């Protein structure tokens, strides 16, 4: 079974800016212009005050593993061939939790508190899905952002 | 303030794999529960279920049962639904909206070969575009909480396993439990890993099954076939992703527990048994903490000394629970049925001596994203 057999997001007008940004390999969160609170997942109103006056802002795409599970048995379409895979809640530096997969790492070496960064899988020409990988150390090929503290 | 409502009759469909349909199971259970109550079909004027289908909720079941109630509730909040229905029935009865409320459930995933815990979702609903695309499963979403509990509090796999062992010990005393052979902590830890840290034996069984509960107005107490059970308190709550800031170790039971015990005017030490939704071992551990049976984070130590098993200080899931007896997808109704039978002293070999007070807590949905909790306090009358 090809990876594309995984369920794909059904994009709606309220989530379109998020997925368009993913296509540019950019992770967006929302911030409320009325009360200043940030939120994830994106939605049509502020989850704190229900104002519809929301701004999109880029996340730095960095965070730590809040919790995870290594899935050894799953009937989830498209994932059966990738067992074991890692499902995780990542806590972004902006303080928001994102449900995701951890990739580019040995499932046996994942730990709570581990620093991670967003990476995008180009699933189709129109669609890229954000997942997270261990934060690259300085000097690693293609890795890291030397400006950001680790 | 106690709800005033009484539970007059209960019935659990005994088969764990059946050729009968979900509707037929509910009809047979409804008839037996009414008979248990000493009431008749014509007495039913309220109806509650989460077992309907086709986007019409209870309508297909009402049609099959040929019922015309004046109060209908199809609240669907996962496995806690049927516990919540007792809450809603008690409220409707107190308001004079109905006098004899029937709750039914039936489901046949075992004979249909549905892998309830490990099947994935398709990305259909709005939230699925941020969740199902990552290969979520029911087991996996509970495992996220178990992993965090281990990290935060030093809980061990052996402590989680102790919950499964206790439930299996109870199941050995229940002739209709799905699994009855004793298991050890090592058996649980050696069973295949499903989603770390949850092993196969940390997960509930998949069965066919169903049941029915009859909740009535207190005025009917004298007309009943058996001594009814009092609903001292009934509460519900939800916990979800909370816009991206959530402590996933705190479940909805942290809201319902104090409210229910306060409403009932009882203390934890007064409770003779607890029916705690056991979709997974971690569900029980977190629920016991949040209901206040032990301080937060001490669930692991609380469950490891045999306290939950037969003869323990706080026996739970005396039918064997979802881990060993019966779990057709949503288990809430069995929690109510077993508690009532214990409080009426009808449980034979597995009877908790002098059971007078029971706490029932249902959990529905997924602990690691969003879930419901419903708590009842039931008492012998
Ligand atoms: Zn706001």
């Amino acid at each position: 079974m090809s990876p594309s057999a995984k369920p794909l997001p059904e994009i709606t007008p309220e989530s379109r800016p998020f997925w368009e940004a993913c296509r540019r390999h950019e992770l967006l969160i929302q911030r409320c212009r009325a009360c200043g609170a940030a939120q994830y997942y994106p939605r049509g109103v502020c989850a704190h005050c229900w104002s519809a006056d929301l701004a999109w802002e880029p996340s730095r795409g960095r965070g730590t593993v809040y919790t995870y599970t290594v899935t050894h048995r799953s009937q989830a379409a498209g994932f059966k061939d990738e067992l074991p895979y890692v499902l995780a809640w990542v806590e972004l530096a902006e303080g928001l939790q994102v449900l995701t997969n951890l990739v580019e790492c040995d499932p046996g070496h994942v730990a709570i508190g581990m620093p991670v960064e967003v990476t995008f899988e180009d699933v189709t020409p129109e669609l890229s899905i954000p997942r997270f990988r261990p934060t690259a150390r300085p000097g690693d090929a293609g890795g890291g952002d030397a400006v950001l503290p680790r | 303030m106690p709800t005033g409502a009484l539970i007059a009759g209960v019935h659990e469909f005994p088969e764990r794999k059946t050729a009968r349909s979900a509707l037929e199971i509910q009809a047979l259970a409804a008839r037996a529960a009414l008979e248990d109550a000493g009431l008749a079909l014509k007495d039913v004027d309220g109806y509650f279920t989460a077992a309907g289908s086709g986007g019409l909720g209870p309508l297909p079941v009402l049609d099959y049962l040929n019922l015309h109630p004046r109060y209908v509730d199809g609240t669907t909040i996962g496995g806690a639904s049927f516990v919540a229905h007792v809450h809603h029935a008690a409220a409707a009865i107190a308001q004079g909206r109905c006098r004899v409320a029937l709750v039914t459930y039936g489901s046949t995933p075992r004979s249909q070969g549905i892998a309830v815990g490990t099947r994935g979702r398709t990305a259909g609903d709005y939230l699925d575009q941020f969740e199902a695309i990552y290969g979520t499963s029911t087991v996996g979403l509970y495992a996220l909480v178990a992993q965090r509990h281990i990290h935060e509090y030093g809980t061990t796999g052996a402590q989680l396993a102790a919950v499964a062992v206790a439930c299996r010990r109870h199941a050995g005393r229940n002739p209709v439990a799905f699994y009855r052979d004793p298991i050890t902590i090592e058996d649980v830890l050696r069973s295949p890993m499903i989603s770390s840290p949850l092993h196969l034996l940390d997960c509930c069984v998949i069965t066919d099954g169903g049941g029915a509960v009859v909740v009535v107005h207190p005025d009917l107490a004298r007309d009943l076939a058996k001594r009814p059970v009092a609903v001292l308190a009934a509460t519900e709550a939800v916990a979800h992703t909370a816009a991206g800031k959530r402590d996933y170790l705190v479940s909805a039971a942290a809201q319902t527990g104090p409210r229910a015990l306060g409403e009932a005017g009882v203390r934890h030490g007064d409770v003779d048994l607890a029916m705690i939704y056991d979709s997974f071992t971690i569900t029980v551990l977190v629920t016991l903490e949040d209901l206040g049976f032990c301080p937060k984070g001490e669930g692991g130590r609380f469950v490891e000394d045999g306290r939950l098993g037969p003869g323990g200080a706080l026996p739970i899931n005396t039918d064997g629970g979802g881990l060993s007896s019966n779990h057709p997808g949503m288990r809430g109704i069995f929690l109510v049925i077993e508690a009532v039978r214990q409080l009426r002293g009808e449980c034979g070999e597995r009877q908790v001596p002098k059971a007078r007070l029971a706490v029932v807590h249902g959990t529905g949905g997924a602990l690691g994203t969003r879930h419901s909790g419903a708590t009842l306090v039931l008492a012998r009358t």
Side-chain angles (χ1 to χ4, degrees), chain B residues 251-307:
Chain B
S251 74
Q255 297 167 67
T256 59
R259 287 210 300 261
L261 273 82
E263 242 177 60
V266 300
R267 291 167 308 191
H268 294 90
D270 303 330
V271 176
D272 298 305
L273 78 146
M275 294 299 300
I276 306 290
Y277 202 99
D278 59 340
S279 41
F280 304 96
T281 51
I282 184 63
T283 323
V284 173
L285 210 110
V286 168
T287 305
L288 287 170
E289 291 174 349
D290 288 344
L291 290 177
F293 284 102
C294 65
K296 192 71 201 171
E298 290 186 15
R301 281 177 290 282
F302 184 78
V303 304
E304 73 184 346
D305 68 349
R307 184 193 313 255

Side-chain angles (χ1 to χ4, degrees), chain B residues 161-188:
Chain B
V163 175
V165 170
C167 290
R168 184 62 64 89
R169 290 184 65 211
H170 289 296
R173 292 160 167 79
N174 178 7
V176 295
F178 188 70
Y179 288 123
R180 301 190 61 204
D181 291 341
I183 52 170
T184 64
I185 284 169
E186 287 66 38
D187 289 336
V188 180

Side-chain angles (χ1 to χ4, degrees), chain A residues 7-8 10 12 14-15 19 40-43 66-70 72-73 75 79 85 89 96-97 99 101 112 130, chain B residues 118-119 123-124 126-127 129 132-135 140 143-144 147-148 151 192-196 243-246 248 368:
Chain A
L8 296 179
E10 284 185 13
T12 61
E14 68 190 297
S15 66
W19 288 111
Y40 183 85
Y41 49 90
R43 64 197 89 185
Y66 171 82
T67 190
Y68 71 96
T69 178
V70 182
H72 294 267
R73 284 200 192 175
Q75 310 297 317
F79 282 86
Y85 63 90
W89 277 112
L96 297 173
Q97 295 156 332
L99 193 70
N101 296 129
I112 289 174
Chain B
T118 56
R119 79 180 148 173
Y126 182 76
L127 300 192
Q129 66 184 306
I133 58 167
Y134 297 116
L144 291 171
Q147 193 74 261
R148 182 76 197 181
H151 170 81
M193 190 67 88
I194 306 297
S195 277
S196 68
K245 291 187 179 184
R246 167 80 194 286
Y248 282 96

Side-chain angles (χ1 to χ4, degrees), chain A residues 21-147:
Chain A
C22 286
R23 206 173 143 197
R24 304 188 302 267
H25 290 199
E26 201 179 352
L27 183 70
L28 294 188
I29 58 176
Q30 287 177 310
R31 191 171 299 279
C32 175
R33 289 195 183 94
C35 76
Q39 67 186 18
Y40 183 85
Y41 49 90
R43 64 197 89 185
V45 296
C46 166
H48 300 275
C49 75
W50 290 354
S51 163
D53 191 10
L54 290 162
W56 296 93
E57 66 178 43
S59 161
R60 292 197 302 172
R62 297 192 165 228
T64 54
V65 176
Y66 171 82
T67 190
Y68 71 96
T69 178
V70 182
T71 304
H72 294 267
R73 284 200 192 175
S74 173
Q75 310 297 317
F79 282 86
K80 279 179 275 189
D81 294 341
E82 297 198 1
L83 295 170
Y85 63 90
V86 185
L87 177 72
W89 277 112
V90 163
E91 191 155 274
L92 297 176
E94 292 85 1
L96 297 173
Q97 295 156 332
V98 176
L99 193 70
T100 188
N101 296 129
L102 301 183
V103 295
E104 298 176 38
C105 59
D106 176 354
H109 290 154
V110 174
I112 289 174
M114 193 172 87
V116 291
E117 64 189 7
V118 72
T119 179
F120 291 87
E121 183 194 347
D122 300 324
V123 179
T124 71
E126 293 79 35
L127 185 73
S128 300
I129 289 181
R131 305 182 200 278
F132 284 74
R133 64 184 176 198
T135 305
R137 292 177 301 275
D140 282 0
D145 178 346
V147 178

